[in-house]
């Protein structure tokens, strides 16, 4: 439960930190840290416009996507505090649940009958689906490393295994989770949320027609997803054995750092060419495979 | 005994379908099937529940020879249940689907159709119950023949007839392999029966005979590269037949593979590796090819291959578990495979039935001519959506449960695996997760292009919802899908027991109960998901009721589409993917590029093709070669009697000479 609540709190300031970082890096004054939340509040106050073409799918999809993220958050632990729902193989459920949300957002884009949104849907479908193997190989590496198959137990045992090389996994794992989070949330270098031309958009073009309440849900889902991956990264790099107040502090520091990393990446890096994206994403799987090779060496199965 | 009279009465009774008036044939078939299903289902549930042991029914005991005995063990009982569910829902659906044909087709055609349907069902039951080789092959042959007649229901279309004949030929190639395998066993042991396999495998090398059986059964099951009949036959058949063929008939191949795997004693790991590699290939290539199809039913047919691949991955992992004496892996692999088989029979028949309703409404299977059908047929759309979600393995539907079991088999066995095993497992893991991802891509495309957006052709505007009679059986399937998805502990436990008893695994593994806990947590999370979703949706409708909501055209970036043909199409949705997959799929685009000097471009065509290279290399080329050869030989067929006398004379001379030199 602690994990769930902390993610909720972190999600409040996460997008603001990204924004602030970007505005500082580009020398602008920029909006305040809670501007994204205010945006959501504005959207909640507004009415909605629906396209005549759309039907029920378009209307329920944002809710499904948000709920899938919320339920996925229930699976994440915070240090030694077990997640609300924890069972063997819960990360499989985690991945497939997020895919369910994606599924609905993709068909909602197709529901509008617009070729822009169809284009975005097609891209999003491809990118978020070929990132799947990277996540599973990474989790397989952790399962092999700790001997367990549940988020809560894996992270709890991560630093107790007595293996000195745990550091390697923290680094590779953190790197991969950052990349996966960027792809899942459609950020640079795969997609640029601030682009101004529909032809170059991926995620933004998918949600062009959503307005008001539904748009607010979509944004809330994105923020929660960021904080959720931040919590995964936190669990990887902070040992579960520390004092609880220190850990809570560390949790927010890790989340803030994660947001700053995203902000800096987005400030100084250009977006990939669209047709280079699949290769870029599949590279993540090879990075995960390298982690897997390392574990084979460590357990003396290879060499 | 009663049973041996049954053996003669059933065929005679099924012939009665020819005598029944046209409008009653369906009810006759239904009655016939129901009677048999009540009987067989009660037998198999008894066996699966453990209250009855293996049931042996001597059918036919002549004064000489061994006679025929039906044996229902656990494995057969499981398959009987799977067969009965889909065959029954298929028949219920068929009534509405075939209604338009009633006017224009003669009564005789319907008789043949229903007669074949009855015999397809009977032969599948026979296949899983018969152990004796010759009897098994006869049942296998009846299955191929009856499904052939079902496929060519609309035989006046030349293509359908051609497809049917190609199907029949490929089925016989498969049967030929099985026959050879049986003959090898008979030569060594003197008995041509599945029961003799254990004796054979105890003394001889296991791999060659297993491979023969595997090849034969894999043609039926549709493993790549032996799948070439499947994407042709499924679209050609009427939809209820495609549902039954894809849902259960191809599973008879899996049944055969399992039946042969049970007695295998050595070369276990080699068998496991072969099954795994072939299954991964089928899974990945199946979904990759499904993704570029424009024909809705062909897409479903390729996705069948993908799902056979997933089932095969489960079975392969189970075999690996047996080879390594890792009972947990064996249990999870086998039960994941078995459960996926059941799941697939449910959601694939649902998808075929609902796409059949689409075909009935707009008379085309080309996805580029569809779009916006959800407004015309909302119930069918919802059913298709549920089927799509289930087939992608998304929670809280049933596909997730079986894929979860297979995944868990991989993850739990990783820590103790050796190098080669780890490589095999990690390979399957990447494969399975890739299949999962691409399946989502494939079915968002199928559902989105067919049911959402604007209509891409005029015919869609005249479409109407399917009749209640067609929707009801699909609803039944949907209930079963949700039941397995949300109440998985109730379903998985019997499947575990089944796997334990078939492969003689250590039984404390499932008594330990952690898996029941895991599955109940999945149900809990699924429940939370549904409740939260309902809450958010209620909040949403409450919220929207107090705000202004307007409708307008889709935002078109200041240029709203002039025609609905400007929407994203099935081809364009897959285009970024088909660029990557080009080396595998051999996709080709035919169009003229607009030249620089061309100020007002002329009218042009754009064509997109994808090719099944296995079909070209394994079927079209050899078939072309043989028909060329036969054409050359046909030169001898002059039609002049003196030439034929000459041939006879040469032949006799040849025989004489050969026997003179003691060659024959």
């Amino acid at each position: 439960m602690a994990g769930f609540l902390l993610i909720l709190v972190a999600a409040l300031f996460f997008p603001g930190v990204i924004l602030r970082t970007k505005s500082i890096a580009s020398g602008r004054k920029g909006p305040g840290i809670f501007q994204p939340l205010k945006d959501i509040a504005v959207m909640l106050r507004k009415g909605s416009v629906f396209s005549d073409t759309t039907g029920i799918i378009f209307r329920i999809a944002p809710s499904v996507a948000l709920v899938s993220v919320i339920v996925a958050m229930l699976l994440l632990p915070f240090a030694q505090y077990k997640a609300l729902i924890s069972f063997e193989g819960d990360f499989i459920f985690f991945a497939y649940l997020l895919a369910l949300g994606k599924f609905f957002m993709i068909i909602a884009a197709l529901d509008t009958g617009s070729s822009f949104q169809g284009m975005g849907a097609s891209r999003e479908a491809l990118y978020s689906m070929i990132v799947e193997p990277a996540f599973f190989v990474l989790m397989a590496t952790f399962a092999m490393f700790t001997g367990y198959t549940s988020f809560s137990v894996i992270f709890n045992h991560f630093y107790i295994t007595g293996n000195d090389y745990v550091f390697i996994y923290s680094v590779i794992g953190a790197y991969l989770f950052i990349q996966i989070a960027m792809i899942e949330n459609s950020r640079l270098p795969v997609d640029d949320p601030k682009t101004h031309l529909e032809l170059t958009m991926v995620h933004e073009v998918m949600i062009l027609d959503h307005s008001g309440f539904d748009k607010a849900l979509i944004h809330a889902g994105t923020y929660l997803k960021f904080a959720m991956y931040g919590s995964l990264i936190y669990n990887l790099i902070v040992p579960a054995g520390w004092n609880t107040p220190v850990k809570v502090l560390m949790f927010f520091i890790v989340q803030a750092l994660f947001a700053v990393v995203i902000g800096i990446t987005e400030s100084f890096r250009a977006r990939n060419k669209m047709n280079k994206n699949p290769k870029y994403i599949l590279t993540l799987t090879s990075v995960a495979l390298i982690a897997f090779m390392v574990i084979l060496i460590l357990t003396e199965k290879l060499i | 005994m009663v049973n041996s009279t049954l053996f003669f009465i059933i065929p005679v009774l099924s012939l009665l379908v020819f005598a029944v008036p046209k409008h009653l044939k369906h009810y006759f078939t239904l009655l016939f099937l129901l009677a048999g299903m009540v009987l067989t289902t009660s037998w198999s549930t008894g066996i699966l529940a453990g209250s009855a042991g293996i049931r042996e029914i001597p059918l036919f005991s002549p004064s000489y020879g061994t006679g025929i005995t039906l044996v229902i063990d656990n494995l057969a009982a499981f398959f009987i249940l799977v067969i009965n569910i889909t065959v029954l829902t298929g028949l219920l659906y068929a009534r509405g689907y075939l209604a338009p044909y009633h006017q224009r087709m003669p009564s005789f055609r319907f008789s043949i159709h229903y007669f074949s349907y009855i015999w397809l069902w009977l032969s599948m039951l026979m296949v899983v119950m018969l152990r004796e080789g010759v009897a098994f092959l006869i049942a296998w042959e009846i299955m191929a023949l009856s499904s052939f007649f079902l496929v060519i229901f609309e035989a006046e279309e030349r293509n359908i007839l051609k497809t049917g004949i190609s199907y029949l030929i490929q089925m016989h190639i498969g049967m030929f392999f099985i026959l050879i395998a049986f003959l090898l066993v008979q030569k060594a042991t003197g008995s041509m029966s599945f029961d003799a396999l254990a004796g054979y495998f105890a003394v001889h090398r296991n791999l060659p005979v297993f491979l023969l059986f595997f090849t034969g059964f894999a043609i039926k099951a549709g493993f790549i590269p032996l799948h070439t009949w499947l994407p042709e036959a499924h679209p050609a058949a009427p939809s209820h037949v495609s549902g039954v063929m894809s849902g259960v008939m191809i599973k008879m191949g899996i049944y055969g593979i399992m039946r042969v795997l049970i007695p295998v004693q050595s070369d276990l790991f080699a068998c496991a590796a072969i099954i795994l590699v072939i299954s991964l290939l089928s899974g990945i290539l199946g979904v990759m090819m499904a993704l570029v199809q424009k024909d809705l039913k062909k897409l479903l047919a390729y996705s069948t291959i993908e799902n056979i691949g997933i089932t095969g991955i489960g079975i392969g992992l189970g075999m690996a578990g047996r080879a390594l004496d890792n009972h947990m892996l064996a249990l999870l692999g086998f039960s994941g495979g078995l459960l996926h088989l059941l799941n697939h029979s449910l959601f694939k028949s649902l998808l075929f039935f609902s796409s059949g309703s689409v075909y009935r409404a707009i008379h085309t299977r080309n996805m580029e001519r569809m779009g916006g059908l959800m407004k015309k047929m909302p119930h069918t759309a919802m059913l298709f959506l549920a089927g799509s979600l289930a087939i992608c393995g998304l929670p809280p539907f049933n596909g997730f449960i079986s894929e979860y079991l297979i995944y868990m088999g991989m993850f739990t066995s990783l820590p103790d695996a050796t190098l080669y095993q780890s490589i095999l497992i990690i390979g399957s893991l990447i494969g399975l997760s890739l299949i999962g991802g691409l399946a989502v891509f494939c079915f968002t495309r199928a559902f989105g292009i067919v049911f959402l957006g604007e209509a891409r052709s005029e015919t869609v505007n005249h479409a109407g919802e399917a009749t209640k009679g067609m929707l009801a059986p699909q609803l039944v399937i949907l209930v079963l899908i949700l039941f397995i998805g949300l109440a998985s502990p109730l379903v998985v436990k019997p499947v575990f027991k089944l796997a334990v008893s078939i492969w003689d695994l250590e039984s404390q593994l499932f008594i330990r109960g952690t898996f029941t806990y895991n599955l109940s947590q999945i149900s809990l999370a699924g429940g939370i998901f549904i409740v939260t979703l309902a809450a958010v949706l209620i909040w949403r409708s409450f919220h929207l009721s107090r705000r202004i909501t307007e409708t307008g055209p889709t935002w078109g970036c200041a240029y709203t589409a002039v025609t609905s043909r400007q929407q994203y199409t099935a081809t364009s949705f897959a285009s970024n993917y088909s660029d990557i997959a080009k080396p595998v799929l051999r996709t080709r685009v035919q169009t003229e590029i607009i030249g620089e000097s061309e100020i007002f471009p002329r009218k042009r065509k754009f064509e997109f093709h994808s090719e099944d290279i296995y079909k070209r290399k394994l079927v079209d080329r050899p078939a072309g070669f043989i028909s060329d050869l036969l054409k050359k030989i046909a030169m001898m067929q002059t039609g002049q009697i003196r030439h034929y006398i000459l041939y006879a004379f040469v032949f006799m001379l040849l025989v004489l000479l050969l026997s003179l030199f003691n060659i024959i």
Side-chain angles (χ1 to χ4, degrees), chain B residues 186-461:
Chain B
Q186 195 201 20
K187 198 171 165 234
T189 62
S191 162
M192 198 171 161
S193 152
F194 282 121
D195 297 322
L197 278 177
Y200 177 84
F201 282 144
V203 264
H204 295 79
R205 274 208 69 187
N206 287 201
L207 198 56
V209 166
F210 167 73
L211 275 183
L212 278 174
F213 271 119
F214 181 74
T215 315
F217 287 126
I219 290 182
K220 188 60 126 192
F223 280 106
I224 287 177
L226 307 169
H227 66 286
T228 44
W229 66 272
L230 207 151
E232 305 296 324
H234 280 27
S239 288
H240 59 286
V241 176
S242 330
V244 170
M245 279 172 73
S246 173
V248 288
M249 196 196 73
I250 59 160
K251 294 338 190 283
M252 295 302 113
I254 298 281
Y255 164 80
I257 292 170
M258 284 199 164
R259 182 60 84 200
V260 177
L261 276 179
I262 294 173
V264 168
Q265 281 152 27
S266 60
D267 296 330
L268 286 172
F269 200 75
C271 292
I274 289 170
I275 299 176
L276 260 181
V277 170
I278 297 270
S279 306
L280 280 169
L281 195 72
S282 309
I284 296 174
L285 288 180
V287 68
M288 283 177 81
M289 290 197 241
L291 246 166
V292 287
Q293 299 306 320
K294 282 179 283 190
D295 180 332
L296 182 58
K297 280 174 83 178
K298 212 167 183 174
L299 180 149
L300 293 178
Y302 274 112
S303 132
T304 298
I305 298 171
E306 167 221 333
N307 279 281
I308 282 294
I310 297 178
T311 311
I313 292 174
I315 295 171
L317 283 175
M319 273 313 274
R322 265 184 72 194
L324 310 170
D325 217 23
N326 179 344
H327 287 241
M328 197 69 193
L329 177 60
L331 176 68
L332 288 171
F334 281 131
S335 36
L338 281 170
L339 187 63
H340 196 77
L341 191 145
L342 167 66
N343 286 342
H344 179 248
S345 78
L346 294 174
F347 47 61
K348 188 46 70 65
S349 54
L350 175 61
L351 286 168
F352 266 119
F353 296 164
S354 45
S355 65
S357 305
V358 170
Y359 177 69
R360 270 235 13 224
I362 60 171
H363 308 290
T364 177
R365 297 191 306 259
N366 186 352
M367 287 163 68
E368 311 285 28
R369 307 233 136 250
M370 301 179 186
L373 274 167
M374 192 161 189
K375 293 193 196 75
K376 302 286 173 190
M377 354 177 43
H379 301 299
T380 302
M382 278 309 187
L383 289 164
F384 192 92
L385 176 64
S388 309
L389 292 169
I391 205 169
C392 293
L394 299 173
F397 293 89
N398 63 348
F400 176 73
I401 305 296
S402 44
E403 290 193 23
Y404 168 78
L405 290 180
I406 297 174
Y407 271 121
M408 282 314 285
M410 298 177 190
F411 282 115
T412 46
S413 55
L414 259 182
D416 303 319
T418 62
L419 178 65
Y420 292 110
Q421 295 153 13
S422 320
I423 292 172
L424 203 61
I425 292 174
I426 207 81
S428 336
L429 187 65
I430 294 177
L432 191 55
S433 54
L434 205 59
I435 293 170
L438 289 173
V440 170
F441 195 175
C442 177
F443 278 92
T444 46
R445 171 177 177 265
F447 180 75
I449 300 294
V450 173
F451 289 101
L452 303 177
E454 294 281 356
R456 288 183 182 77
S457 69
E458 183 55 26
T459 44
V460 173
N461 297 327

Side-chain angles (χ1 to χ4, degrees), chain B residues 135-174:
Chain B
F136 173 83
L137 284 172
I138 291 172
W140 192 257
E141 176 66 20
I142 296 175
M143 186 167 77
L145 277 178
S146 53
S147 52
F148 165 72
F149 282 113
L150 289 172
V151 168
I152 59 161
F153 180 64
E154 292 176 87
E156 54 277 339
E157 279 184 44
R158 223 184 130 68
N159 270 338
I160 289 183
L161 194 61
K162 203 178 152 198
T163 306
I165 288 169
S166 147
Y167 164 69
L168 203 60
I169 292 172
Q170 299 203 32
M171 285 304 106
H172 283 89
I173 295 172

Side-chain angles (χ1 to χ4, degrees), chain B residues 532-565:
Chain B
T532 325
L533 180 62
V536 171
L537 286 176
I538 290 169
W539 177 34
R540 180 180 181 276
S541 66
F542 175 72
H543 186 94
L544 287 189
S545 67
R546 311 168 104 224
R547 301 285 188 289
I548 308 159
T549 49
E550 292 169 41
T551 53
T554 298
W555 192 77
C557 193
Y559 181 73
T560 310
V562 183
T563 84
S564 59
R565 297 296 302 275

Side-chain angles (χ1 to χ4, degrees), chain B residues 502-534:
Chain B
I502 294 174
W503 279 281
D504 205 16
L505 306 168
E506 282 169 29
S507 53
Q508 72 265 24
L509 280 169
F510 72 89
I511 294 168
R512 216 175 65 186
T514 52
F515 250 89
T516 321
Y517 173 76
N518 293 339
L519 292 166
S520 64
Q521 289 291 303
I522 291 179
S523 308
L524 174 70
I528 293 178
F529 177 81
I530 291 170
V531 171
T532 325
L533 180 62

